[in-house]
Amino acid sequence: YGVLAALALLGMKKKFIITAIGTGAVLHLYRPFHSLLLQWAYLRADIVTTVSNFSRNEILKKMPDIPIQVITHGVDFDAWQNPKARPEILSRIEKSKPYIISVGAFRPRKGYKFSIRSFMKVKKQFPDLKYVIVGRKYGDHFYKKIGKLILELHLENNILVLEDVETREDLAALYRHAELFCLLPRSLSNDF
């Protein structure tokens, strides 16, 4: 979108800011044709902002001289204090307590194969603990692979996978009642 915005602003004397978020802001810097376009757009921007130091540092590896600033996401604390989750989510929360939680799409970069194995080890010391994973499927292959791992480790009664968390209130309630948030992401060929 930064490239499209840069093209749309050609000839105009308007300020131009690109907010670089996640994989798309970096991965295309490593693809020959895309790289030229994205670098051109980044250089046209008055400033590039990003939501994390990791993204900032990854962009600077390819473009060390661009002005880039990290602006982390804000939080609406009131919305997270007493979320009004749907009754079915509240019921799942009660049945899962105590639990740790991970939130993120079912993709290899989210590190679920590591967090599930880590949970298995922690469970030995805390036998009542459950693991709630909130995420959406992106194709069946990796999703099935995670399901197979859960079965192989005999954790099917201890891990709850939720794909139907539809509202911010549902997610806020899940976070609020968790003992711990756990995500072990990794960068796989600039996909992070």
Side-chain angles (χ1 to χ4, degrees):
Y1 297 114
V3 172
L4 293 176
L7 287 168
L9 290 172
L10 280 175
M12 301 175 85
K13 295 182 191 246
K14 301 281 184 182
K15 292 283 184 187
F16 175 42
I17 299 169
I18 294 178
T19 300
I21 300 175
T23 298
V26 175
L27 183 61
H28 297 295
L29 289 172
Y30 290 88
R31 293 183 173 162
F33 178 71
H34 295 113
S35 177
L36 294 174
L37 288 172
L38 190 53
Q39 287 184 41
W40 172 79
Y42 281 153
L43 290 170
R44 296 224 359 107
D46 293 284
I47 191 163
V48 176
T49 66
T50 187
V51 298
S52 71
N53 284 314
F54 182 84
S55 295
R56 177 185 177 276
N57 295 338
E58 291 299 305
I59 292 169
L60 289 174
K61 284 179 186 175
K62 291 296 275 186
M63 301 189 68
D65 298 326
I66 65 167
I68 186 165
Q69 183 176 358
V70 176
I71 302 174
T72 55
H73 293 296
V75 176
D76 180 351
F77 288 106
D78 292 335
W80 291 84
Q81 291 304 313
N82 294 304
K84 307 282 188 271
R86 293 177 294 149
E88 56 268 29
I89 293 294
L90 293 173
S91 173
R92 289 179 183 174
I93 288 171
E94 287 306 314
K95 290 177 187 172
S96 300
K97 285 183 178 180
Y99 64 90
I100 61 172
I101 189 170
S102 291
V103 178
F106 281 93
R107 293 185 177 196
R109 68 182 186 209
K110 296 297 181 180
Y112 287 122
K113 71 179 187 180
F114 303 110
S115 61
I116 289 169
R117 289 184 189 284
S118 298
F119 170 72
M120 182 183 74
K121 293 177 182 177
V122 170
K123 182 134 182 68
K124 290 176 184 172
Q125 193 162 0
F126 301 97
D128 293 336
L129 192 63
K130 301 270 190 315
Y131 184 15
V132 175
I133 301 174
V134 179
R136 298 232 189 267
K137 279 198 277 189
Y138 281 89
D140 284 337
H141 177 72
F142 185 68
Y143 186 78
K144 286 179 180 176
K145 204 171 180 180
I146 291 301
K148 186 177 175 185
L149 177 63
I150 291 169
L151 291 173
E152 283 174 10
L153 299 175
H154 306 288
L155 294 171
E156 59 273 12
N157 294 322
N158 305 108
I159 296 180
L160 175 64
V161 176
L162 298 177
E163 294 180 68
D164 62 343
V165 177
E166 299 170 2
T167 68
R168 190 169 113 179
E169 290 79 13
D170 289 350
L171 186 58
L174 284 158
Y175 274 125
R176 185 157 176 75
H177 293 281
E179 302 298 317
L180 176 73
F181 176 82
C182 173
L183 196 63
L184 304 173
R186 57 198 185 124
S187 180
L188 300 170
S189 302
N190 300 303
D191 183 15
F192 60 91

